[in-house]
Amino acid sequence: MKDHKILFTGAVCAGKTTAIRSLSDIETLDTDAKASDVTVRRKKNTTIAMDYGVLELAQDSRVHLYGTPGQERFSFMWEMLANQFAHDAIGLVLLVDNTRKDPFRDVRFYVKEFGEYIRKRRLIIAVTHSDIEPNPGYNDYLACIRELGLMATVMFVDVRNPKTVLSIVEELISAVELEINWAEVGERILDHNGFSLDFYKPIYEETLLDAAMNKRGILGAMHLGAEQEVLSSNIDEQQSVALLKSMHKLSSAIAQKSELVGEVSNIVVGGPAVRTLSMFSDDDQALCLCSERDVSLPVLKQQASDLLQWSRENDYLA
Amino acid sequence: MIELLDKVDKPNVIENSCLLQGKEVLASSFTPDKKNHETIAKQAFNYVFLNVARMNAKHNEAHLEIGDKRLSGFILKPELVLVCMSDKACNIALVRDHVAEVKKLFLQEQVNRMLA
């Protein structure tokens, strides 16, 4: 029996679990738990450890499919999957959600995180959700990977459709498995698994502020536009609102003068007996959070980054 | 003051530091190639703590991530701010703990000076 392995990674909601479910001949192992953070903005459950499935290609050949959790706080599992379970995988599939505000940020992030892993095997960038948001397009992704100096294949896929996900597997495996009847495999898994309805479930149920409030320790949130205008807010205390606005104003002022040192990504003020106020800027918008003092900055940063990735431009999805 | 800054800078935690009194830099360990960061820190923390005071808020520390660096400002006593520059990836708790130690030394030194 020839055993091949493929590792799927990507941000929360990129479609890793769905892709593996679409392909697998066995009941997939998934480690979903109720989402307790910004993920609830997109779905009720999220993978916390790994996804696993098996696809039979022929009587003597099969592919083991591994999926990482999307959230960075479970990145210890990324390491475990890359170094142990899938250390001998034939390729890495990076699923990129095209509805994210800046999908290329995800590409850059995962390419950096899996840099060593990618150097030793093939990389497929599989773009999902392009039925909802067609841009950026194929050529934009090619330009992105060229800029990053990567050798990668870009594919636009609908992970609900087993046949299109199979095309990723075919792209990776066909070079080493010449005898596989891919059309037959495609028909079989389509019969067996059908089209996944995962993305047709009612999603995007929560607003940006609701999602922020779902995080432990967050007491209030405010969404600001480019001109410091309040797009939405549930912070009642005027003192905090004024301070946060002044922080955003400061960030904009520095942005105009600080070409030599880089962009301001966040400003945080705190103290021993006060709530922490933080402002995370992102091009034309900012997310301001009021939180308990014990919430760590790295956690706040990741939550804010995720929230801003699904922000203004995608709010039509809400 | 410069002796205090010698104690503030710590490998892998705080790369450079300076002491601000209002808009004036009392002492600094910022190297010439990092003077832009010092200038931004001076203006930014002056603005932030001025607003904090204006709002009667009690915040006494501020952190600003810019490029690949983090600038942290800590109020040591009214009108006196200690600025520390760290790598963005450096754990902020390490910076806080180290500054808390330095603050103790600083206050002790002030008391000694008064008693002398």
Side-chain angles (χ1 to χ4, degrees), chain A residues 180-222:
Chain A
I180 306 297
N181 185 337
W182 292 100
E184 197 179 285
V185 177
E187 289 303 326
R188 195 192 72 240
I189 55 172
L190 185 57
D191 276 353
H192 186 255
N193 297 340
F195 287 92
S196 165
L197 297 179
D198 278 6
F199 292 164
Y200 295 119
K201 287 175 190 168
I203 55 174
Y204 311 114
E205 293 150 335
E206 310 232 350
T207 66
L208 180 74
L209 296 191
D210 287 341
M213 296 306 290
N214 227 296
K215 177 78 189 85
R216 187 189 67 82
I218 301 293
L219 305 165
M222 178 165 67

Side-chain angles (χ1 to χ4, degrees), chain A residues 239 242-243 246 249-250 254 258 260-272 274-275 277 297 301, chain B residues 36-37 40 43-44 47-48 51-52 55-68 70 88 92 96:
Chain A
Q239 182 197 65
L243 266 178
S246 74
K249 197 172 167 186
L250 172 65
I254 294 174
S258 67
L260 295 172
V261 289
E263 287 179 10
V264 176
S265 49
N266 63 71
I267 301 176
V268 179
V269 295
V274 288
R275 293 169 172 177
L277 299 176
L297 182 59
K301 273 165 68 177
Chain B
N36 282 327
H37 288 88
I40 287 170
Q43 292 172 349
Y47 176 82
V48 167
N51 274 296
V52 165
M55 311 285 170
N56 292 318
K58 302 265 187 290
H59 302 85
N60 64 0
E61 64 175 69
H63 308 272
L64 184 151
E65 288 191 352
I66 183 162
D68 55 358
R70 185 192 303 120
K88 199 172 177 173
I92 203 165
R96 271 200 189 112

